[in-house]
Amino acid sequence: MTPSLSSSLENGPHRLCVLGGGVLGGQIAWHSAFKGKSVIVYDIDDTALERCRASHDHYAGIYQADVGAKPEAIAATRARLAYTSDLAEAVADAELVIEAVPEDPEIKRQLYRTLSPLLSPETLVATNSSTLLPADFADDSGRPERYCALHFANLVWIMNVA
């Protein structure tokens, strides 16, 4: 049985969904899994997900060379990652959803409107947007009180800053 979100969030979110497996979304997903989080990457189709998986293969080598990750840590990271193009499946158990889709206001608004009814009332939603004002999307999220900005720096393994 899955614990309630309230009790599981006492120690921080452990089940994440990253919406968008592009450059930064892929890095966020890999690094979060490397740090012990269970992560589902959502993207719009299998082609986008394959690109994300290929990036994750590349990050495995970078983490071994630059971060000093052992093969066991890479295997554990891979085991904590899942990929889907089914939005409802992606967010079903998420405690934290991190949106990292293209910096297009209409894409973000539509995604939030579709996403909102699929989430538990307690799920936190964060945008990784770097060029748009998060406040412009708070109402579209359907949960302005549980919506925030959480921007990760590119090359997250070097710039481990959010």
Side-chain angles (χ1 to χ4, degrees):
M1 172 180 238
T2 303
S4 75
L5 283 178
S6 317
S7 63
S8 64
L9 286 177
E10 289 174 10
N11 297 313
H14 296 283
R15 295 184 312 271
L16 280 58
C17 174
V18 178
L19 304 175
V23 173
L24 211 43
Q27 289 180 39
I28 294 166
W30 177 268
H31 196 69
S32 296
F34 181 76
K35 292 295 187 176
K37 308 298 183 185
S38 294
V39 181
I40 296 180
V41 179
Y42 164 82
D43 217 314
I44 57 173
D45 58 35
D46 290 339
T47 301
L49 292 171
E50 285 305 317
R51 283 192 301 265
C52 184
R53 282 187 184 97
S55 293
H56 287 170
D57 290 341
H58 179 69
Y59 299 148
I62 289 172
Y63 275 58
Q64 287 179 309
D66 295 353
V67 178
K70 304 290 182 214
E72 302 80 32
I74 298 301
T77 298
R78 290 183 193 281
R80 287 188 285 268
L81 285 161
Y83 307 85
T84 185
S85 58
D86 181 324
L87 185 59
E89 175 187 343
V91 302
D93 292 322
E95 296 168 323
L96 172 62
V97 174
I98 301 171
E99 172 268 307
V101 301
E103 294 288 277
D104 179 314
E106 201 45 49
I107 290 173
K108 290 181 185 292
R109 281 189 186 95
Q110 185 57 46
L111 175 64
Y112 288 133
R113 290 180 195 134
T114 304
L115 176 67
S116 181
L118 302 174
L119 299 175
S120 161
E122 296 177 334
T123 302
L124 303 172
V125 178
T127 181
N128 188 62
S129 183
S130 60
T131 62
L132 301 171
L133 293 175
D136 290 345
F137 305 101
D139 287 337
D140 292 310
S141 77
R143 58 191 54 238
E145 71 288 348
R146 300 194 67 74
Y147 176 81
C148 65
L150 179 63
H151 183 71
F152 290 79
N154 197 12
L155 305 178
V156 67
W157 59 93
I158 297 170
M159 303 287 290
N160 193 3
V161 177

